Amino acid sequence: MIGFTPLPFLLFISLLAIPPSPASSSSRNAIECSRVQPNSTCFIEGVAFESTADEYLTIFPPATHIIMQASEILHFAPHLFDALPGTVFLTLKGSIIPALTFRSDELRSLRIDATELRELAVAPLVNRHLNTLIITGNPLSVIPPTVRYLTGLSMLDLSNNRLQHVQLGWFEPMAGLLVLDLSGNRITRLDVHASLRLVRLENFWTNHNQLRRIEFFPRFAPALRRVRLVENYWACEWVAQVRELIWANQIQVHGAEHACPEAQDGGLCCYEGQQPFNELDSGLEQEANGDDERRQFGKTYARVEGYLQPPDQNHRDRQPGRACNVLEQKYRTLVDEKELLERRFINTVRELERTVRRLTAELTEAQDRLRTQHVRLA
C-alpha cells in the first residue's frame, strides 16, 4: 500500500532524531590522581588512550593544579583541554606528547617539559587568560604565528628546544609580556621590524644560540632591565655598538665569557667576518634540516604516529668541538639557569594557589553572611 510506513521503521527514525544525551558517569573515562600533595596538586601518571573515542570520553579530576607525567598521548587536542574542569595550572612533563593544540579559557599556566613535542598549534582565538607558557626540553623547531593570540602572557619560556628562527613581532600583541626566554636553542635569526615595541619586557634571554646580531636592540624593548647574551656568534661591530646602548639604558647583562677563540668585548666573545662553524654546528644544521622534513610530513595529525621516533642518538653521542673548559662552563650555566627557573615557577604557582585559596575563602565567607541575612529577614 503506497504511503504506508511500518511502525518499527518509524520508531527507528524517531530514535535517530533524538539528540544523544550526555554520557553517563559510568561511560565516562574518569582519570584519577595517582597521588595528591598537601597543596592539592594532583599527580597523574601512565595515561594512554587506545582510541580517539576514549579521548572524547575522558574527564580529568577537578583539581586546580594537575601534573601529568609518564604518559603517552599522540595529540593533546582541544577536547582534552575541555576535559579539565576547574584546572588553572597544568604541567605536562616526562611523557611522549609529540603534538599539542592549545585552546582553553580556564588555564592560567601551562608547562610542557620534556614531552618530545614537535608540533605546536594555538587556536586562532584571542586568549587573555593564559599568563604563563613554558615549553622547554623538546625537539620543537617551529613556533606557530598564532602564538600572537595569547595576548595575556606575562612569561613566555621557550628555552632548550630546537628553534632556529623567531619573529619577535609575533609577541607584540602580548602587552603585558615581562619575561621572554629563548635561550638554549639553535636560533640563527631574530626578525625585528623597526616599529616593534615590546613595551613591558624586562627580562630577555637569548644566550646559547647561534646569533650574529639582533637588529634594533634594545630599542624594541624600552623597559628592558636584564639580558643574557653569552654563547652566541656575535659580530664584533655589533657588540661594540650595543655596549654603549646597554650602558646608556642601565641594562644588567648576566653572564660573561672568558675563553674566546677570537676577540672578547665586555665579557662577550665576538667574531670577525662570517659566522664560524665547526663540526658540531654542521651536524646540528643537518639534524635541524631533518627535523624540518619530518615536520613537513607531519602536517596532518592523521599521520601523527610518524612523530614517535626514537631520539637522535647521533645528536646525543656527538661530542662538541669546543674547548673542555668552555663546555664545562656552559653546562654549569645551563644547570644554574634551569634550577633558577624551576624555583621561580614553583614560587609563582604557590603564590597563585594562595591567592586562589584566599579568594575562595572570602567568597565562602560572603556567601555565609548573605545566608545569615536572609534567615534573619525571614
Side-chain angles (χ1 to χ4, degrees):
M1 181 176 180
I2 299 175
F4 173 76
T5 305
L7 181 60
F9 183 73
L10 286 175
L11 291 174
F12 176 73
I13 293 298
S14 62
L15 288 174
L16 288 179
I18 299 174
S21 60
S24 64
S25 58
S26 61
S27 63
R28 302 287 286 180
N29 180 18
I31 296 177
E32 299 181 354
C33 302
S34 303
R35 66 182 189 277
V36 179
Q37 286 188 340
N39 62 356
S40 300
T41 298
C42 169
F43 285 83
I44 297 175
E45 299 178 351
V47 173
F49 299 110
E50 295 183 0
S51 66
T52 305
D54 289 340
E55 295 181 13
Y56 278 95
L57 292 175
T58 294
I59 183 169
F60 292 96
T64 303
H65 186 188
I66 289 180
I67 298 178
M68 182 180 297
Q69 55 192 13
S71 297
E72 184 174 338
I73 303 173
L74 294 182
H75 179 203
F76 205 101
H79 57 264
L80 291 179
F81 284 102
D82 294 339
L84 293 163
T87 302
V88 181
F89 311 102
L90 175 63
T91 297
L92 308 173
K93 69 175 185 178
S95 299
I96 299 178
I97 306 177
L100 181 143
T101 300
F102 175 78
R103 189 196 67 197
S104 172
D105 290 331
E106 301 295 332
L107 285 183
R108 299 298 181 268
S109 174
L110 173 61
R111 177 168 185 163
I112 307 170
D113 186 355
T115 66
E116 292 297 320
L117 182 70
R118 295 177 180 271
E119 289 289 334
L120 172 68
V122 177
L125 302 169
V126 175
N127 184 308
R128 299 183 179 90
H129 304 282
L130 191 69
N131 177 266
T132 300
L133 177 59
I134 300 175
I135 303 175
T136 183
N138 293 287
L140 182 69
S141 61
V142 176
I143 294 297
T146 49
V147 72
R148 69 184 66 181
Y149 288 97
L150 303 178
T151 59
L153 286 181
S154 62
M155 177 178 180
L156 178 56
D157 182 351
L158 301 173
S159 62
N160 299 307
N161 297 299
R162 297 183 187 175
L163 302 180
Q164 302 170 56
H165 167 221
V166 176
Q167 293 192 29
L168 292 186
W170 292 345
F171 311 134
E172 192 167 17
M174 305 171 189
L177 187 63
L178 298 173
V179 179
L180 177 57
D181 190 346
L182 301 174
S183 62
N185 282 283
R186 305 172 182 178
I187 301 173
T188 59
R189 189 175 86 251
L190 289 177
D191 284 351
V192 184
H193 56 78
S195 62
L196 174 66
R197 293 294 182 274
L198 302 177
V199 292
R200 295 192 60 190
L201 186 66
E202 295 182 359
N203 303 274
F204 184 46
W205 304 155
T206 60
N207 48 295
H208 298 88
N209 279 289
Q210 300 176 21
L211 290 165
R212 287 284 287 167
R213 62 178 64 246
I214 303 176
E215 299 296 340
F216 307 110
F217 177 89
R219 190 173 74 185
F220 64 82
L224 192 62
R225 292 293 173 263
R226 289 165 290 274
V227 296
R228 284 187 180 271
L229 302 171
V230 297
E231 293 293 334
N232 278 280
Y233 296 125
W234 302 119
C236 290
E237 52 88 12
W238 182 84
V239 173
Q241 173 188 350
V242 300
R243 277 192 65 196
E244 299 180 4
L245 297 173
I246 287 175
W247 278 101
N249 290 275
Q250 299 181 342
I251 299 172
Q252 300 176 18
V253 180
H254 292 261
E257 299 174 271
H258 305 287
C260 296
E262 293 196 17
Q264 185 187 86
D265 191 347
L268 290 178
C269 296
C270 66
Y271 303 84
E272 301 289 351
Q274 298 297 319
Q275 175 173 322
F277 282 96
N278 54 28
E279 293 181 2
L280 172 63
D281 302 322
S282 176
L284 292 178
E285 184 178 26
Q286 293 177 5
E287 185 180 338
N289 291 336
D291 288 341
D292 286 341
E293 293 178 1
R294 287 192 294 272
R295 181 172 55 82
Q296 293 299 326
F297 285 115
K299 285 295 183 180
T300 172
Y301 291 122
R303 303 175 64 87
V304 75
E305 292 86 352
Y307 292 113
L308 296 179
Q309 300 177 358
D312 188 347
Q313 193 64 35
N314 293 331
H315 170 65
R316 292 183 176 181
D317 295 339
R318 192 181 293 117
Q319 298 297 321
R322 298 186 180 184
C324 293
N325 58 342
V326 176
L327 179 60
E328 184 178 359
Q329 178 186 2
K330 180 188 293 187
Y331 175 77
R332 288 198 302 268
T333 303
L334 287 174
V335 171
D336 292 342
E337 291 175 357
K338 182 177 181 181
E339 291 177 351
L340 178 60
L341 288 174
E342 289 279 353
R343 289 196 297 271
R344 287 177 178 174
F345 177 77
I346 292 174
N347 290 337
T348 301
V349 169
R350 288 175 177 172
E351 182 178 352
L352 291 173
E353 287 178 343
R354 286 195 294 269
T355 302
V356 170
R357 287 196 294 269
R358 177 176 58 81
L359 293 175
T360 302
E362 292 177 354
L363 178 60
T364 302
E365 183 180 354
Q367 290 174 341
D368 292 338
R369 286 200 300 267
L370 288 174
R371 293 192 192 98
T372 303
Q373 292 175 359
H374 282 302
V375 170
R376 289 176 180 174
L377 292 175

